Each structure stands twice: as structure tokens, then as C-alpha cells.
Amino acid sequence: MAEEKSQASSSKMLTLKASDGVLFEVELNIAKEMKTVQAYIDDCEDIETIPIPNVLGKHLAIVIEYIKKTNEEYDAEFEKQWNMDDLQLLLLAANYLNISGLQECLCKAIAKRIENKSPEYVRKVFNIENDHSPEEEAKLRKEYKWAFEGVDKD
Amino acid sequence: MKRPLSSAATSEDRKMKKVKETETDEKFEKIDGVCQKNRGLASFDENMLFEVLKHVDAKTLAMSSCVNKQWHKTGQDERLWELICTKQWANTGCGEQQLRSVVLALGGFRRLHSLYLLPLSKPQTSSSSCSSSSSSSWGPISQQVIRSKPLPRLGKDEVHLSLSLLSIRYYEKMNFNNRNM
């Protein structure tokens, strides 16, 4: 079943089937680290379950854990170093150069930095001008009143 | 940059039109002859903003809608709210595409979330002012949820309940319109 392109390919899930039939659902990003899997995907785009006939479930589990862990640790270390301006410009660069892994990492990093932050904080940090009228803004704040409970102090 | 960049000549006009922004005008002085206001994610297109907002939680997405018009437009995107809704719930037993068509027809994921999923994770948000008052109906889980960011995984029953309530709301509105005609 062809997925709508509404979600970016990096958050799409793929199923890997080990030699003993054990199934693993992994993100496309993780699966692509395995060049063998990448080749499969390149051949047939719509595939959702990829057979891994040479690897037992228990070993595939360990391999997947390893990839996930090194990705997460690297990403965490990587994103710490940059200030918000750099993150934004890096994202633009990654987008232009079409590096989906890096784009995903940077999007997550930027998202993490605005998590639970007020609109004022977001505007300040991204140098965004508020083009809502006071009435519009008041209406929105009222509509999303629940979201502002427990928001981080600026 | 896609937006037209202001030069010194038009800065006077800007100050007249947007009186409340005068402070920010001065703050973002020209650097290298280019106005630095609206640098950053404001100059990103909506696709990029969408990609970033895919990774935030419901609270942040809602607050993002208040930032400016572009963020508001992106924050209204049903696909983002679909991600937020489906992230937390268990297997509904029906296909993703099927679920999507039904929910969109009945009012969308954003409404589903704010009307029916949100109350499931918080005790009595609409009725009582004190949110910690009722732990009896939903149990200890909802107490934790107020502070912690990820919402608990909702079981099949809660999902079906929310979907049913969404349908009822839709049909109630339909009948109401017919009566007036």
C-alpha cells in the first residue's frame, strides 16, 4: 500500500524479518544504515517488509539497538554544540544539499529547544515578528489556553 | 531570502504602520546593509517549519500557533495533529488511511485532540478550575501526566470513545443546521 507523501520518508516505519521469522519495526533512517536494506529499498520503493534471511532475530535485535544508540548519542552530542542561529542555517544547508538524516537530526534539535516554550521565547529566539493583531492573538491564546499551563518561564 | 528586504528609506513607513514594533525595529538594526528582522525560521518556508513541528508535543504545537501567521497556518496542519494523536494510542484495529479519512470527515485530528483526547489525559480540564482535584475517575496516571511531557498510550477503548464522541458532535451539528433551514 503506497503511503501518501504526507509524512517525510524519515519517519516512515519499515519491517525487517529475521531468518527465524521475528519481525522488527524500525524507522527508515535506522534501516538505511544497513546498506543491504538500502539496496532493497532502492529496488522497490513501496516495500514494507524486508526479509533478512541470514540473520537470527536475536542478533538483528542487537544490531538495531547498536544503530539506534550510536545515532542517538551522536545526535545528542552533535546538536549540543550549536546555537540556534547555526542550527537554523545548518538546516537550510542540509535541506539544500538534500541530506535527510542531517535534516531530521536538526529538526529534532530545533524542536527540542522550543519544547514547552512560550510564543514570546520562540519569537525572540528566531527573530520572528508577531504579525497577529492583538485581537487575533487574544483569541488564539484563549483557544489554546490549556497549552499555556505549566509553560517554561522565559 | 524570499522576502523583500527593507532599506533605510522604508524604515520610517514601517515604524508608522506598526507602532508596537518600534522597539524591535531598533533592535534589529541593519547588519551589512540588510535588515536582520525576520531572519531565521521566519525565512524558512512552511515545509521546513512543518518538518520541525513534527517533533514537538501537543502543548508546544498549540503554543506555536500563536507565534505568527505563518506558524499559525502550519500549526493548523491536520497532518501534524494526526501525528500527535496517533503517537499516543494503541493499535486501533483499522488501517491508517481509513482512520484518516474518517477523522478528517468528522472534523479533523486537531479537534479530536483538543476536545476528546486532551481531557482523557488531564482530569476535568473544562469543568473545574483546580486540576488536581479529581484523581478518582482517571487514577494516578493522569496526575503524573500534567507534569510530564509524553502523554500515556491510550488504549483501544479510549480511542474508540473519542472517535465516537467526535462522530456524535459532527452529527449534532448537522441536525442543528437542518433545523434552521
Side-chain angles (χ1 to χ4, degrees):
Chain A
M1 171 171 71
E3 279 287 309
E4 273 184 8
K5 289 288 183 180
S6 58
Q7 295 182 356
S9 58
S10 49
S11 51
K12 187 182 167 189
M13 300 300 273
L14 216 61
T15 306
L16 302 177
K17 186 170 171 187
S19 61
D20 48 0
V22 183
L23 299 172
F24 296 90
E25 218 189 6
V26 294
E27 278 184 13
L28 193 63
N29 268 352
I30 309 286
K32 278 182 162 185
E33 293 279 318
M34 305 178 234
K35 297 264 163 55
T36 313
V37 174
Q38 171 80 72
Y40 235 97
I41 300 170
D42 287 343
D43 273 347
C44 14
E45 268 181 21
D46 285 351
I47 197 162
E48 292 203 350
T49 304
I50 296 175
I52 315 275
N54 299 339
V55 185
L56 285 171
K58 85 172 194 189
H59 297 132
L60 192 54
I62 298 170
V63 167
I64 291 171
E65 271 313 296
Y66 172 81
I67 297 175
K68 275 190 197 166
K69 241 191 159 193
T70 45
N71 272 354
E72 275 163 18
E73 281 168 6
Y74 183 80
D75 283 358
E77 275 314 300
F78 178 80
E79 69 102 346
K80 263 188 223 168
Q81 315 169 38
W82 315 114
N83 65 30
M84 192 50 106
D85 283 350
D86 281 332
L87 280 181
Q88 292 173 58
L89 293 171
L90 281 168
L91 181 55
L92 278 174
N95 182 53
Y96 173 72
L97 297 167
N98 206 358
I99 312 168
S100 54
L102 182 58
Q103 277 184 68
E104 170 102 346
C105 163
L106 292 165
C107 284
K108 282 188 182 156
I110 294 176
K112 196 161 125 192
R113 298 219 184 166
I114 60 171
E115 196 97 344
N116 205 33
K117 296 284 189 250
S118 68
E120 290 78 19
Y121 180 91
V122 171
R123 286 179 203 134
K124 191 176 75 165
V125 129
F126 295 135
N127 297 338
I128 294 175
E129 188 188 319
N130 179 13
D131 54 1
H132 283 139
S133 71
E135 298 79 28
E136 284 170 342
E137 179 157 0
K139 186 170 154 216
L140 283 172
R141 279 178 180 263
K142 189 171 170 210
E143 184 184 346
Y144 292 120
K145 196 167 57 162
W146 55 269
F148 288 89
E149 290 166 22
V151 66
D152 288 350
K153 299 280 179 229
D154 287 350
Chain B
M1 294 235 208
K2 285 186 240 174
R3 288 179 185 226
L5 300 167
S6 315
S7 64
T10 57
S11 65
E12 302 288 352
D13 299 70
R14 270 194 293 118
K15 281 183 185 173
M16 278 172 54
K17 279 181 202 168
K18 298 168 188 175
V19 174
K20 64 178 159 91
E21 304 290 354
T22 42
E23 284 179 3
T24 43
D25 279 359
E26 275 141 28
K27 220 195 285 178
F28 301 122
E29 274 305 296
K30 286 172 292 170
I31 298 173
D32 298 331
V34 164
C35 179
Q36 289 298 301
K37 201 199 304 196
N38 294 336
R39 194 165 50 95
L41 268 184
S43 64
F44 279 12
D45 66 4
E46 278 151 21
N47 287 330
M48 200 150 312
L49 187 53
F50 178 86
E51 292 298 322
V52 172
L53 291 179
K54 266 165 65 176
H55 301 286
V56 300
D57 62 7
K59 272 180 102 210
T60 312
L61 185 58
M63 284 197 282
S64 302
S65 302
C66 304
V67 170
N68 77 351
K69 292 197 166 140
Q70 187 199 34
W71 282 59
H72 178 252
K73 183 170 170 210
T74 312
Q76 301 291 97
D77 196 319
E78 281 293 321
R79 295 169 295 176
L80 289 173
W81 288 100
E82 180 182 346
L83 278 173
I84 284 183
C85 291
T86 53
K87 231 187 279 185
Q88 9 159 348
W89 67 35
N91 184 14
T92 51
C94 64
E96 200 182 285
Q97 183 56 45
Q98 196 180 18
L99 184 69
R100 184 179 299 138
S101 353
V102 168
V103 175
L104 288 178
L106 293 176
F109 287 95
R110 192 171 61 88
R111 260 195 207 101
L112 178 65
H113 178 270
S114 68
L115 292 172
Y116 306 118
L117 294 182
L118 198 57
L120 282 179
S121 53
K122 275 188 187 183
Q124 293 183 345
T125 36
S126 46
S127 42
S128 72
S129 49
C130 174
S131 56
S132 57
S133 60
S134 70
S135 50
S136 50
S137 2
W138 303 109
I141 297 174
S142 33
Q143 288 288 328
Q144 295 169 342
V145 165
I146 294 166
R147 284 173 210 88
S148 70
K149 278 178 283 178
L151 290 168
R153 274 186 89 74
L154 299 175
K156 238 181 181 172
D157 289 341
E158 283 113 333
V159 173
H160 290 169
L161 174 63
S162 331
L163 293 173
S164 306
L165 290 171
L166 188 70
S167 330
I168 292 169
R169 179 180 177 273
Y170 179 81
Y171 284 109
E172 274 178 347
K173 292 208 156 210
M174 261 180 69
N175 285 335
F176 185 72
N177 287 336
N178 283 338
R179 261 186 254 134
N180 282 346
M181 284 168 85

